[in-house]
Amino acid sequence: QLQLVESGGGSVQPGGSLRLSCVVSGYTLDYETIGWFRQAPGKGREAVSCINFSGGTTTYADSVKGRFTISRDRTKNTVYLHMNSLKPEDAAVYSCAMDVGRDAILTLGRCSSGQYAMDYWGKGTLVTVSS
């Protein structure tokens, strides 16, 4: 059974760092696009960052550029989100999701839009940023 499982969330002070992991089980990643999304209480879902597993092309929301880095590990079937210089406004539930489409340009575009119904979702991990 295909599953996406997030981990690595927690509570940090402003300026701190976290690394989120999205492990995909029951499926071997190859050409898919994996995205990290976040949703804070009372706000809509935002596409934070996306990566195409085949070519490694990435996208970032303007709000996280220069602070967050998305990466992949083929040997672990895992996508990471490295978050540095965290701000209170980064606090949210972070979820990873997968688009199984084969066209990387298409899948990255719809992942980064935050509006596409991705094919598979994890349950999310909570990130809290406060002093």
Side-chain angles (χ1 to χ4, degrees):
Q1 181 181 357
L2 192 155
Q3 284 187 313
L4 282 72
V5 179
E6 305 93 338
S7 63
S11 180
V12 296
Q13 294 184 339
S17 299
L18 284 173
R19 187 186 75 165
L20 305 184
S21 300
C22 174
V23 178
V24 179
S25 62
Y27 187 91
T28 300
L29 291 169
D30 183 12
Y31 52 81
E32 298 76 8
T33 289
I34 303 289
W36 282 99
F37 301 81
R38 66 186 181 187
Q39 187 163 18
K43 295 188 177 181
R45 187 177 70 202
E46 177 186 18
V48 177
S49 183
C50 305
I51 186 168
N52 179 259
F53 212 81
S54 176
T57 304
T58 60
T59 66
Y60 293 94
D62 288 342
S63 59
V64 306
K65 281 181 181 176
R67 300 188 298 122
F68 291 12
T69 303
I70 192 170
S71 64
R72 72 198 194 288
D73 187 331
R74 287 186 175 277
T75 64
K76 297 182 179 179
N77 226 37
T78 299
V79 171
Y80 301 100
L81 185 67
H82 307 259
M83 306 188 297
N84 297 318
S85 302
L86 282 161
K87 304 175 181 180
E89 52 263 42
D90 294 318
V93 174
Y94 284 71
S95 301
C96 63
M98 181 170 72
D99 183 333
V100 299
R102 288 184 172 270
D103 185 327
I105 295 175
L106 177 64
T107 58
L108 282 168
R110 58 194 189 190
C111 176
S112 61
S113 75
Q115 302 300 312
Y116 180 71
M118 303 288 280
D119 297 305
Y120 298 94
W121 286 86
K123 293 183 178 180
T125 185
L126 179 64
V127 172
T128 303
V129 185
S130 67
S131 54

